[in-house]
Amino acid sequence: MHQARTDVVTSPQGSPANDLLRMRAVVQRTGLGRSTIYRLMASKQFPLPVRLGSRAVGWRRADLDRWTESLPTVAH
């Protein structure tokens, strides 16, 4: 029997800043595709995930927030 997958793994401390986001939530949050995320990770331009299990990873919400804040803003 396997456990149901969730897109957000809440930390034991219960703080949203410590939440771990699974790939689906990262894609929705960033607007990037899976392959783009992995390409940016390979070039050290995107936060690295945390290993959750033998076949599961998650990204720290705080790392993604810092990454988003570091992006250049575009003036229209």
Side-chain angles (χ1 to χ4, degrees):
M1 187 186 279
H2 61 264
Q3 190 176 17
R5 196 173 100 199
T6 180
D7 291 337
V8 178
V9 180
T10 304
S11 69
Q13 294 84 8
S15 169
N18 293 326
D19 286 349
L20 296 171
L21 304 177
R22 298 294 303 273
M23 178 58 84
R24 184 180 309 170
V26 174
V27 167
Q28 290 174 344
R29 187 175 182 89
T30 63
L32 301 173
R34 291 173 56 93
S35 59
T36 302
I37 290 169
Y38 283 115
R39 181 176 44 80
L40 289 171
M41 284 172 38
S43 64
K44 303 198 185 318
Q45 297 176 346
F46 194 82
L48 296 176
V50 175
R51 178 135 324 262
L52 302 175
S54 62
R55 294 179 46 181
V57 296
W59 284 261
R60 290 181 190 93
R61 184 185 303 265
D63 290 347
L64 293 174
D65 289 344
R66 276 192 297 278
W67 177 80
T68 302
E69 291 168 4
S70 74
L71 295 176
T73 57
V74 178
H76 292 277

